[in-house]
Amino acid sequence: MIKAPIGIGKPAFWSVQNISYQAYRLKTRPELIIGVLALCFLSFVVLVPLLQIIQDAFTFQSYDLSYEPDGVVGSFTLFHIDRVFNQPISTALFYKPLLNSLKMGFAVTAIALVVGFSLAWLMVRTNVHFKGVFGAMLVFPYMMPSWVMAIAWLSLFKNDRIGGSEGLLTYLTGIQAPDWVAYGIFPIVITLALHYYAYAYLLISGALATVDSELEEAGATSGMGKWKRIRVITMPLLMPAIGSAIVLTFIRILGTFGTPALLGLPVRFFTFSTQIYASINARNQGDAFVLALVLIVLAISFIWINSRIIGVRKSYVTMTGKGFRKSESDLGKMRWPITILVILFLCMTVALPLILLLWESLTLIPGNYSISNLTTYFWNGKGNINLAYGEPGIIHNKGILEALFNSIKLGFAAALFNGVLGLLVGYAVVRGRGARLSKWLEAIAFAPYIFPSIALGAIYIGMFSTNIGPVPALYGTFTILVLITVIKNLPFTSRTGIAAILQIHQSLEEAARVQGIGWFRRMFRIIIPLSMSGLVAGMLLTFITAMRELSLIILLISPGNMVLTGLIFSYQEMDMSQHSSAVTLMLVLLIIVISVIVRLITRSAGVGRLNVT
Amino acid sequence: MGQILLNGIVKSYGKEVVVKNLDLTVETGEFLTILGPSGCGKTTTLRMIAGLEEPDQGMIKLDDKVVFSRNDGVVVPPEARHLGLIFQSYALWPHMTVAKNITLALKEQKISKSEIAQRLENALDMVQLTGYAERYPSELSGGQQQRVAVARLIALRPSILLMDEPLSNLDAKLRTEMRASLKRLHRDLGATTVYVTHDQIEALTLSDRIIIMNEGQIMQEGSPYDIYHHPANIFVAEFIGDPGINLFKGTISNGMLDCGAISISLPTTIANRGGNLIAGIRPEKIKVSETAKNGWQEVTTGILQPTGANTILEVKAEDIPITLLQTGFITLSEDTPLWIDFETDALSFFDTETQENLRNEVS
Ligand SMILES: Nc1ncnc2c1ncn2[C@@H]1O[C@H](COP(=O)(O)OP(=O)(O)OP(=O)(O)O)[C@@H](O)[C@H]1O
Ligand SMILES: [Mg+2]
């Protein structure tokens, strides 16, 4: 048989036939259309803003005129760079915050890792008591804003330095806590570490639970001792999880705003995040943009160095948050002492802050923690000109209720859009596997991961403070809060989406296709029901993060789009500690209640039926 | 209704060309099997017919309607091709009951409720699953799941059925049963069927016509009888038949093929060629005697494999191994002498270079 050589008879690229073919083809491949749309959208909200602030950082702005009256607005300039790196003011503007951020980042990461690792080991690999309760309690910090601990710390240790009331310590003992205990790097590191260990704990316990038995038992049968087994088999297998935990924690710390602001600003201790905030408030946006860029470069280099040292290329997998237990070792005599240690730890990190918040919210005169001073005024008071600037208690406070409504709206909107976007990105990436479009899409959906929260906020100020073509100026609107929350969470939800779609064998959808079922119906009847459990988990995560987020949106909120976290921060800034405590407590309870309800609903909806074959 | 036509289909993944210029016609109501070793491009071909893969070049017509043509810029998506496809994995939707699985596509077509109920009942009846309508797929055995997949297909009444190794996940006994029921199904529905498998028994028992594929090319097409008795080339000869065909390479001299220990008499047309060639004969076409006969070849027995109704005998003529297939349950000790003779008209001859059957060349 003689075969025609391949390649003959292919129409030219620009021919009518080829164009009509490509158009038809696009119609038969929904994942291409979705992929292209998603790519355009994500480029617009991720890459364009980045380029925009790079450009802004090198452009002479009108607000620079006060420093250089003869500058030409809109011209290329190294003015901002020079100011940040190379002027007498640079020490305060850049070098000190850099040093502080790095110190804080490394210290918190190290402590959080050690704590998280130890707890993970105890929970997964030993027979410590009360694992069920502990397991539920240990992820609590994840559901609280990272700065709850800072507010609690202030309730305890606030001294007379900044005026206003004093903390519980002073009330009980009359001793003023020294400045280094009350403010600055020491409390910042402690309170952040006691929050961020939860990430390391979740990642490492997940890895530990899947690693062990299979491989370690193989090691045991080949005659390795226990420690050798841990060193040679377990640790290398845990390295990706440890690497992820390090990267995740470090980048979050770089971008975190609440705690350094609450505990640092009173003593003029600046980190990158608080300096960016200060620069924006001082109308020196150019400085803020340069700082944000440096922060991003810092995050990227950290990822790079980390992956070099750990030797795992993908040391930034996302969290799964599942903990199983296997092959537990006996703690022997230490079983109870260690259990008690964990209980104390949980009391300190979960119970104590919440109790302090509650107590604080119930004190009439701040700083007086006696029983006789207790009141429910800040919960249900109608407003009294002599108390807290006449601000009414929570249930009569329009501002708080509006912020509450906004927070819930933000949580639900972000979760919903994240779910949809994650599903679509997952669909386009998985179904388009092998094509360049799929790779680009996956990469760009992951890009927000490397933007520390505060830097992303700064980028969005630069981008959306004026209108861009048909897109109106979004600064100060509710939309921009939803947008930035969705984008910041996209790396996680798109991973969830990809994982969910990967689990649905392609043939399940193809079977529907050949039976004549169109794309929308396929999505609603097959893809969405089958990926529901994964998606809901991802959306719940977004909801929680959206509700408790401050660093990301602090630069973007204004009275018009105020949410609870922003409100708490401003109460705290005005030293209205009862209000801030009460609202914080309400926020935490709300998050917990809603996540429990969502969990219950999804469980009773029979998602368990779907053991996909 | 139900004709399929493939013309000059080429498909590659990256640099690897997996289907090379394929031409294929399936007539209305025909049962065609595509048979070939793993990775030869069977599934790819089937998926291109269904519209789940796009060819790089060529044209596909269903019922005289062009559904794909690279040159004319036509691509009809699978949703609009109206054919039935059974996947190797069955692809039942795990979150829907059997009834929902079967009726989902019907509801899509705005068929009346009573009609849907009717078709559901019919389909379940045809695959003998009446009473299973409310079960979930995970509550069914592999064979039952397979039958649900078939029922889902029946209910839609497509004029073209495509099946990709629908029996490969079943155990041997169930496979034989399902084979028979698939054949009955084809007869009852009268739908044009393209069936993909690498199991030659399925191919030989079910098909009106078989296409043997290898490395993305058609090696031979023909009736099961033709494929078995007149393999077009050595690949087909070796691929079909179990136990495999005996091949002897030799030199032509004096009207005989001299293969060393054995020599085979040749038809004159072939003897006249001269040079080398390869002779092939199926194990069951070799006569065997336990006593010496004039002109028969003496061999000694090696390993015997009785399979019940038949026995496979490995024998040797000096150092040339030969496989025989005899009816009956035979027990002989090793190294027993036997005498064999080839049925002359059952011999095939192949060119040593092109590996093609010489019969095609001569006639
Ligand atoms: N999506 C894909 N990407 C890259 N290569 C592929 C893809 N699908 C199939 N191939 C390759 O194309 C060739 C033919 O594959 P195909 O699935 O058609 O084989 P098959 O004949 O059905 O085999 P089997 O009997 O094992 O199912 C194989 O070499 C396979 O590796
Ligand atoms: Mg196949």
Side-chain angles (χ1 to χ4, degrees):
Chain A
M1 257 184 276
I2 296 164
K3 297 280 175 185
I6 288 156
I8 279 187
K10 213 172 188 167
F13 187 77
W14 285 115
S15 66
V16 177
Q17 287 93 339
N18 191 53
I19 290 169
S20 113
Y21 166 75
Q22 298 295 353
Y24 266 115
R25 185 165 173 255
L26 210 58
K27 231 178 67 189
T28 69
R29 299 189 52 185
E31 78 271 12
L32 284 182
I33 302 173
I34 295 168
V36 170
L37 290 180
L39 194 68
C40 293
F41 173 70
L42 293 180
S43 309
F44 180 69
V45 293
V46 176
L47 290 188
V48 174
L50 184 62
L51 298 177
Q52 176 87 35
I53 69 157
I54 294 177
Q55 195 197 344
D56 283 0
F58 288 97
T59 306
F60 197 85
Q61 310 285 351
S62 52
Y63 48 76
D64 297 330
L65 285 172
S66 50
Y67 301 99
E68 279 199 3
D70 43 343
V72 181
V73 173
S75 65
F76 174 85
T77 181
L78 291 176
F79 172 72
H80 303 124
I81 302 287
D82 188 53
R83 236 173 93 78
V84 171
F85 295 121
N86 207 16
Q87 291 288 320
I89 195 178
S90 307
T91 315
L93 197 57
F94 176 74
Y95 292 102
K96 267 197 175 164
L98 172 69
L99 201 67
N100 288 340
S101 274
L102 288 179
K103 270 199 279 193
M104 176 177 83
F106 284 118
V108 173
T109 308
I111 299 175
L113 192 69
V114 171
V115 173
F117 187 95
S118 314
L119 286 168
W121 193 276
L122 282 177
M123 291 291 293
V124 181
R125 306 299 296 273
T126 72
N127 63 345
V128 70
H129 287 289
F130 309 132
K131 278 188 184 171
V133 184
F134 288 173
M137 300 284 279
L138 281 171
V139 293
F140 246 64
Y142 188 84
M143 292 204 242
M144 298 201 252
S146 63
W147 34 264
V148 164
M149 202 72 77
I151 292 185
W153 188 278
L154 283 177
S155 296
L156 262 184
F157 296 113
K158 206 156 48 159
N159 61 19
D160 57 3
R161 177 186 176 93
I162 47 169
S165 61
E166 287 152 16
L168 184 61
L169 180 77
T170 316
Y171 175 77
L172 291 177
T173 63
I175 303 170
Q176 293 283 349
D179 269 359
W180 67 269
V181 173
Y183 303 106
I185 185 129
F186 174 72
I188 291 178
V189 167
I190 299 293
T191 53
L192 283 177
L194 290 184
H195 174 80
Y196 280 98
Y197 80 86
Y199 293 76
Y201 166 75
L202 281 175
L203 280 167
I204 295 170
S205 61
L208 261 179
T210 48
V211 160
D212 52 1
S213 26
E214 306 149 23
L215 289 150
E216 267 192 26
E217 272 158 25
T221 48
S222 63
M224 278 187 215
K226 186 178 171 198
W227 290 108
K228 179 147 193 212
R229 237 155 51 211
I230 289 172
R231 194 164 48 81
V232 178
I233 298 172
T234 316
M235 286 314 280
L237 287 170
L238 286 183
M239 269 310 164
I242 293 177
S244 317
I246 292 177
V247 169
L248 187 74
T249 313
F250 191 80
I251 292 179
R252 296 234 165 188
I253 300 295
L254 282 188
T256 197
F257 171 77
T259 302
L262 292 172
L263 295 174
L265 291 184
V267 289
R268 305 206 54 73
F269 173 91
F270 280 96
T271 63
F272 258 139
S273 51
T274 49
Q275 184 57 53
I276 288 174
Y277 176 74
S279 292
I280 298 256
N281 275 353
R283 305 248 168 266
N284 286 324
Q285 296 199 2
D287 299 348
F289 292 161
V290 176
L291 290 173
L293 287 174
V294 174
L295 205 49
I296 291 168
V297 171
L298 218 57
I300 295 173
S301 358
F302 185 76
I303 292 181
W304 186 78
I305 293 170
N306 185 67
S307 67
R308 272 304 155 100
I309 294 174
I310 293 208
V312 187
R313 236 167 286 134
K314 286 214 165 177
S315 60
Y316 39 71
V317 287
T318 45
M319 137 132 64
T320 54
K322 269 189 188 164
F324 310 99
R325 40 197 108 112
K326 283 174 192 166
S327 68
E328 303 167 349
S329 61
D330 189 5
L331 290 172
K333 269 190 201 144
M334 295 305 290
R335 193 169 175 196
W336 273 110
I338 287 181
T339 304
I340 288 168
L341 219 60
V342 178
I343 293 175
L344 286 178
F345 177 81
L346 284 170
C347 284
M348 205 170 73
T349 56
V350 180
L352 185 64
L354 293 179
I355 291 171
L356 279 173
L357 286 180
L358 182 64
W359 197 348
E360 185 79 42
S361 76
L362 294 175
T363 56
L364 185 63
I365 312 291
N368 178 351
Y369 294 90
S370 68
I371 304 282
S372 60
N373 191 38
L374 291 185
T375 175
T376 56
Y377 173 80
F378 296 97
W379 291 90
N380 62 3
K382 290 224 165 88
N384 178 337
I385 196 69
N386 297 320
L387 279 172
Y389 312 106
E391 210 40 36
I394 286 186
I395 62 169
H396 297 298
N397 192 319
K398 225 172 131 240
I400 294 179
L401 295 180
E402 246 163 48
L404 169 69
F405 180 64
N406 274 348
S407 273
I408 295 178
K409 208 164 70 169
L410 176 63
F412 277 106
L416 185 68
F417 284 117
N418 251 152
V420 173
L421 200 57
L423 181 75
L424 292 179
V425 168
Y427 185 82
V429 166
V430 173
R431 292 288 180 259
R433 270 278 147 91
R436 237 169 299 164
L437 177 66
S438 163
K439 265 185 234 145
W440 288 344
L441 192 57
E442 197 174 355
I444 199 166
F446 195 65
Y449 189 89
I450 58 173
F451 298 153
S453 301
I454 192 97
L456 193 61
I459 289 179
Y460 268 43
I461 284 196
M463 168 96 167
F464 293 109
S465 45
T466 55
N467 61 322
I468 318 152
V471 183
L474 291 175
Y475 180 75
T477 63
F478 184 72
T479 313
I480 198 170
L481 299 188
V482 177
L483 185 65
I484 197 170
T485 311
V486 168
I487 295 309
K488 181 63 188 169
N489 281 294
L490 191 61
F492 301 96
T493 30
S494 66
R495 288 287 148 121
T496 320
I498 290 172
I501 302 288
L502 273 177
Q503 278 184 351
I504 303 171
H505 195 272
Q506 198 181 336
S507 65
L508 291 184
E509 196 192 347
E510 288 174 348
R513 269 201 105 166
V514 291
Q515 291 180 46
I517 300 176
W519 185 76
F520 275 100
R521 298 274 290 173
R522 293 205 297 276
M523 287 311 267
F524 282 104
R525 301 310 298 266
I526 293 160
I527 302 291
I528 293 179
L530 286 176
S531 51
M532 210 52 199
S533 55
L535 279 180
V536 167
M539 283 161 73
L540 183 59
L541 224 58
T542 303
F543 178 83
I544 294 172
T545 18
M547 293 277 288
R548 65 167 162 73
E549 188 62 66
L550 177 67
S551 316
L552 188 65
I553 55 178
I554 181 70
L555 298 177
L556 302 170
I557 43 183
S558 55
N561 60 2
M562 189 51 78
V563 291
L564 283 182
T565 49
L567 200 60
I568 295 166
F569 184 71
S570 64
Y571 280 138
Q572 196 71 27
E573 266 189 327
M574 289 189 285
D575 204 26
M576 294 162 68
S577 55
Q578 297 100 320
H579 270 101
S580 69
S581 299
V583 178
T584 308
L585 203 58
M586 180 178 75
L587 177 63
V588 171
L589 290 180
L590 196 67
I591 292 175
I592 292 170
V593 167
I594 293 183
S595 15
V596 169
I597 291 175
V598 172
R599 289 253 156 84
L600 287 180
I601 291 175
T602 48
R603 199 166 302 162
S604 67
V607 185
R609 176 72 71 42
L610 310 180
N611 44 353
V612 182
T613 44
Chain B
M1 286 291 280
Q3 200 193 38
I4 305 172
L5 190 128
L6 271 65
N7 196 336
I9 295 294
V10 176
K11 173 73 185 172
S12 46
Y13 289 112
K15 288 216 171 84
E16 190 197 359
V17 185
V18 297
V19 173
K20 300 166 188 158
N21 205 0
L22 188 76
D23 294 322
L24 179 66
T25 315
V26 193
E27 298 303 336
T28 305
E30 189 179 21
F31 195 117
L32 175 88
T33 299
I34 303 179
L35 175 66
S38 192
C40 72
K42 308 180 294 287
T43 299
T44 308
T45 306
L46 203 68
R47 289 171 59 83
M48 288 191 291
I49 299 175
L52 297 170
E53 300 283 344
E54 275 172 41
D56 301 334
Q57 284 174 53
M59 193 211 25
I60 300 176
K61 267 187 183 177
L62 302 177
D63 292 338
D64 282 331
K65 183 174 160 247
V66 177
V67 293
F68 177 86
S69 169
R70 184 72 176 80
N71 291 0
D72 301 329
V74 177
V75 192
V76 175
E79 299 89 300
R81 292 195 186 185
H82 306 298
L83 30 72
L85 173 58
I86 295 191
F87 293 82
Q88 188 174 350
S89 58
Y90 315 144
L92 299 180
W93 300 307
H95 58 303
M96 295 182 191
T97 58
V98 168
K100 276 246 179 76
N101 261 284
I102 295 173
T103 56
L104 184 68
L106 298 176
K107 285 182 187 147
E108 194 71 358
Q109 294 182 359
K110 310 221 160 43
I111 297 174
S112 74
K113 268 205 174 131
S114 55
E115 165 88 18
I116 289 179
Q118 181 66 36
R119 286 208 198 177
L120 172 64
E121 197 180 321
N122 266 351
L124 284 176
D125 188 43
M126 264 179 109
V127 296
Q128 292 152 19
L129 280 178
T130 315
Y132 287 79
E134 292 313 312
R135 297 251 194 130
Y136 282 88
S138 58
E139 299 162 351
L140 298 176
S141 74
Q144 289 168 333
Q145 291 181 12
Q146 206 272 346
R147 286 181 349 231
V148 175
V150 172
R152 190 166 70 177
L153 219 156
I154 295 172
L156 265 177
R157 306 199 178 145
S159 56
I160 295 173
L161 300 184
L162 308 175
M163 307 192 201
D164 189 2
E165 310 202 22
L167 306 182
S168 64
N169 286 346
L170 304 179
D171 62 40
K173 188 157 174 289
L174 208 50
R175 212 183 285 189
T176 318
E177 269 174 40
M178 289 307 297
R179 217 162 58 204
S181 66
L182 282 182
K183 190 153 191 171
R184 208 172 322 122
L185 182 77
H186 173 249
R187 195 195 56 205
D188 293 350
L189 295 178
T192 311
T193 306
V194 181
Y195 186 97
V196 159
T197 181
H198 57 234
D199 182 323
Q200 47 172 305
I201 312 250
E202 282 170 25
L204 293 171
T205 51
L206 288 169
S207 324
D208 296 325
R209 195 154 56 97
I210 297 177
I211 283 186
I212 308 274
M213 248 180 118
N214 189 32
E215 295 182 348
Q217 280 176 307
I218 294 182
M219 292 282 111
Q220 184 173 4
E221 56 177 289
S223 66
Y225 184 92
D226 265 354
I227 298 264
Y228 188 78
H229 293 95
H230 308 298
N233 50 43
I234 290 186
F235 174 83
V236 177
E238 284 191 302
F239 188 73
I240 293 284
D242 180 29
I245 195 167
N246 293 294
L247 293 174
F248 308 102
K249 189 171 178 177
T251 315
I252 299 173
S253 64
N254 306 327
M256 301 288 281
L257 185 68
D258 179 9
C259 312
I262 53 176
S263 64
I264 299 165
S265 58
L266 296 172
T268 38
T269 44
I270 295 210
N272 290 344
R273 283 170 54 103
N276 295 339
L277 57 76
I278 295 171
I281 187 156
R282 300 248 170 237
E284 71 277 13
K285 300 291 184 189
I286 303 176
K287 290 174 285 189
V288 181
S289 163
E290 282 184 75
T291 52
K293 282 195 180 173
N294 194 19
W296 288 39
Q297 172 77 42
E298 182 176 353
V299 295
T300 53
T301 55
I303 292 177
L304 268 62
Q305 304 174 50
T307 59
N310 298 313
T311 305
I312 302 165
L313 300 89
E314 309 274 345
V315 302
K316 272 191 168 175
E318 292 175 18
D319 56 347
I320 301 178
I322 305 172
T323 308
L324 315 176
L325 182 69
Q326 290 290 301
T327 49
F329 199 110
I330 301 173
T331 47
L332 284 175
S333 54
E334 232 172 280
D335 289 328
T336 315
L338 289 176
W339 284 264
I340 61 167
D341 186 33
F342 297 160
E343 285 178 22
T344 336
D345 48 0
L347 279 161
S348 302
F349 302 99
F350 304 94
D351 190 296
T352 47
E353 289 298 310
T354 65
Q355 311 229 320
E356 296 287 322
N357 195 327
L358 293 175
R359 182 185 136 104
N360 300 340
E361 206 170 276
V362 174
S363 57

